[in-house]
Amino acid sequence: MTAVVRIAALEAFTALIEQQIPALAGRTCAGQAPSSELEEIPNLSIEPSRWTYEMDSVGDATQVALLPGNVAVWDVGYHEGTCAVSILASSPRQRALLEQQVLDLFLSAKHPLTGMRQPGCLSFLISSCPEVGQFASLFFLEDDAWVETLALDRRYESRIGVGCWIPALVLETPVYEIQTLQLAVGASTTTDPAADPAPPTLEPLELVTINADGSVSPA
């Protein structure tokens, strides 16, 4: 599920950029784009270059969701990657303005649940990935300045390094849950099996239900 989770995280990042920076609405791309996709200037692209996997601890795994069809989602660590965020503008002034707007987006970041400020780190709760359910992802600044990489024929490009963190999620299927547990309880009237080899006589069975909190109730 790594590729699916990664794509969903990158799409959430570009969606936020388009929402917060109107000049880039409809002009972003996550990953390598066909040459015709980003013809309009200005535009922004995000190019992942390297991913590494880390375990929280050996043998540590947590079930984080149970999807329809008894599919269990397990968190088994995380992937950390490096991305190049590139801006292509029609003038140095436009490029500088867009660079500052992207930096401001990072520096004014807040946690989506607590509202606490976390400058330089964008947090996402992503629910647009039905294959694994909801998960969290982070994008954080790795560099503190843009690097100018192109100035040719009214095409002015610059790049900045951004790190990305996504959970390592795996699926397990099928998974079955016990909805109702019943127990038949009886008592034998034979007190000494060695002295009385006859088959034991059982009192009438009582059927009880084991509740979720461990208590017992009549079935």
Side-chain angles (χ1 to χ4, degrees):
M1 287 291 106
T2 300
V4 173
V5 172
R6 181 171 65 232
I7 291 171
L10 291 171
E11 289 177 344
F13 184 26
T14 56
L16 178 65
I17 290 174
E18 292 191 19
Q19 178 185 358
Q20 298 297 322
I21 306 177
L24 294 174
R27 300 184 178 188
T28 67
C29 177
Q32 187 173 5
S35 58
S36 61
E37 185 168 331
L38 290 178
E39 289 182 344
E40 294 186 90
I41 297 178
N43 61 60
L44 178 145
S45 61
I46 304 171
E47 301 174 18
S49 60
R50 178 177 54 86
W51 293 89
T52 59
Y53 167 70
E54 297 288 343
M55 291 185 294
D56 292 326
S57 61
V58 176
D60 188 19
T62 304
Q63 184 178 330
V64 294
L66 185 65
L67 305 180
N70 290 322
V71 178
V73 183
W74 289 84
D75 185 328
V76 295
Y78 61 92
H79 297 279
E80 191 167 328
T82 299
C83 304
V85 176
S86 301
I87 286 176
L88 187 61
S90 60
S91 69
R93 179 181 178 85
Q94 185 184 56
R95 179 178 62 187
L97 177 61
L98 293 173
E99 289 173 351
Q100 189 58 53
Q101 289 178 320
V102 172
L103 285 178
D104 289 346
L105 183 62
F106 274 96
L107 297 178
S108 62
K110 297 180 180 179
H111 193 278
L113 296 180
T114 66
M116 295 182 61
R117 290 192 176 275
Q118 45 185 32
C121 181
L122 294 170
S123 298
F124 297 89
L125 287 176
I126 299 169
S127 55
S128 59
C129 192
E131 294 87 351
V132 297
Q134 182 173 273
F135 65 92
S137 178
L138 302 175
F139 286 85
F140 48 91
L141 286 174
E142 287 195 331
D143 300 327
D144 58 2
W146 292 82
V147 177
E148 298 179 4
T149 56
L150 176 68
L152 177 67
D153 191 26
R154 297 181 63 82
R155 296 167 66 90
Y156 297 86
E157 185 182 47
S158 59
R159 294 189 174 197
I160 196 169
V162 170
C164 177
W165 180 98
I166 60 173
L169 302 176
V170 296
L171 303 182
E172 182 181 30
T173 183
V175 174
Y176 299 100
E177 284 190 331
I178 297 176
Q179 301 296 331
T180 302
L181 177 62
Q182 293 184 336
L183 178 67
V185 180
S188 171
T189 58
T190 302
T191 58
D192 187 357
D196 185 1
T201 301
L202 296 179
E203 297 293 334
L205 297 178
E206 179 183 1
L207 193 63
V208 297
T209 296
I210 310 300
N211 301 312
D213 60 359
S215 61
V216 177
S217 59

